[in-house]
Amino acid sequence: MGKVIDPFWAAVASFGADQILVLPEWIQRKIEVEQTIIPEGITGEMALLEKEISGCMKCDLGSTRKNIVFGEGNSEAGILIVGEGPGATEDETGKPFVGKSGKLLDKIFASIGLGREKLFIANIVKCRPPNNRAPSPSESEICGKYLQRQIEIMKPGIIVALGASAARTLLNTRTGIGLLRGDFHSYMGTPVLVTYHPAALLRSPALKRPVWEDMKKLKSFMEEAGLPRESKGNND
Ligand code: URA
């Protein structure tokens, strides 16, 4: 399924009315919805959710973002990677993990045979927190509801939580990352493997070894669970 378009708002957006007139906020939001780029591989119910989220102003991050980073990838393979929130490059492009951390993330998962075509990658919050600060508890709670719906649609066989923010929000705990990582936890019945965030590895290369141990655990888990799942072909 492609992008769902309301012809009237598409026409207003293409006309560029928002650039020459001071329009009420609700009209600006409609225009933003029409201008949103639906990332590749987003189909069916996920595409409807993506459309619903575009233009979101439920928290203050909405007023400083350039693009909502909905997440992207293969929603059928059953492997969901959850980071903290978009950085500057992600905010510019609307795509998750495309900066330095993203390049390292690609290498980490490639080491166990998982290219991006086998992963769905999302974040706890979908808009960039200014100055790369961590999302606040209320931002995480509000935006976490969208992630919850992505999880309900995707029904992953495994979630990999990258770093403290993702792990603490998903697992609703204050426990530190050092204690959480390397173990399987549960999010509403779905197994969650916690590991360090690639940005932490860029700061502390010594964390590469524990992450490698975590990747070996992930690989064994996937073999037993029959992951990645066969794609039904909706993601190409
Ligand atoms: N860090 C994250 O947690 N998510 C991104 O999408 C990029 C960097």
Side-chain angles (χ1 to χ4, degrees), residues 81 97 101-110 116 121 162 198:
I81 312 300
F97 280 99
S101 296
K103 294 204 167 54
L104 182 54
L105 176 137
D106 287 343
K107 285 188 190 157
I108 292 169
F109 286 99
R116 288 227 177 186
I121 304 180
L162 302 175

Side-chain angles (χ1 to χ4, degrees), residues 19-229:
Q19 283 151 34
I20 48 174
L21 300 170
V22 180
L23 298 170
E25 201 178 302
W26 70 272
I27 296 185
Q28 284 172 14
R29 217 169 296 157
K30 288 268 188 196
I31 291 174
E32 190 178 346
V33 168
E34 290 312 329
Q35 289 176 330
T36 300
I37 302 153
I38 299 219
E40 267 178 56
I42 304 292
T43 57
E45 275 189 85
M46 214 46 121
L48 292 178
L49 178 62
E50 207 276 351
K51 183 173 170 71
E52 181 190 322
I53 288 177
S54 55
C56 178
M57 294 297 284
K58 285 192 179 166
C59 79
D60 286 348
L61 299 183
S63 56
T64 50
R65 68 156 181 258
K66 290 187 180 149
N67 282 294
I68 291 180
V69 182
F70 178 75
E72 69 176 11
N74 185 338
S75 59
E76 296 184 342
I79 305 161
L80 173 63
I81 312 300
V82 179
E84 178 178 282
T89 324
E90 291 78 18
D91 187 40
E92 286 289 340
T93 58
K95 291 168 177 284
F97 280 99
V98 286
K100 271 192 192 161
S101 296
K103 294 204 167 54
L104 182 54
L105 176 137
D106 287 343
K107 285 188 190 157
I108 292 169
F109 286 99
S111 73
I112 54 164
L114 293 175
R116 288 227 177 186
E117 76 287 353
K118 296 193 180 114
L119 306 172
F120 192 88
I121 304 180
N123 283 301
I124 295 292
V125 294
K126 306 208 176 314
C127 298
R128 182 189 182 202
N131 305 318
N132 293 343
R133 66 163 170 77
S136 71
S138 89
E139 289 157 359
S140 299
E141 193 190 328
I142 294 167
C143 210
K145 298 223 164 58
Y146 292 143
L147 179 64
Q148 183 181 335
R149 288 179 56 200
Q150 288 178 304
I151 293 171
E152 283 162 7
I153 293 168
M154 184 181 161
K155 299 182 185 54
I158 182 75
I159 299 172
V160 180
L162 302 175
S165 280
R168 287 173 165 182
T169 306
L170 283 170
L171 304 176
N172 193 21
T173 177
R174 300 302 307 154
T175 306
I177 180 79
L179 290 176
L180 295 171
R181 76 138 277 273
D183 280 329
F184 289 92
H185 307 263
S186 169
Y187 173 84
M188 296 180 162
T190 303
V192 178
L193 176 65
V194 175
T195 192
Y196 291 114
H197 193 287
L201 271 67
L202 290 171
R203 290 190 299 268
S204 314
L207 298 180
K208 282 185 184 168
R209 177 156 290 276
V211 168
W212 171 236
E213 297 303 325
D214 299 342
M215 289 304 108
K216 286 194 284 185
K217 282 189 189 170
L218 176 61
K219 192 167 194 295
S220 314
F221 177 91
M222 291 192 312
E223 278 160 13
E224 272 183 35
L227 295 169
R229 294 176 194 138

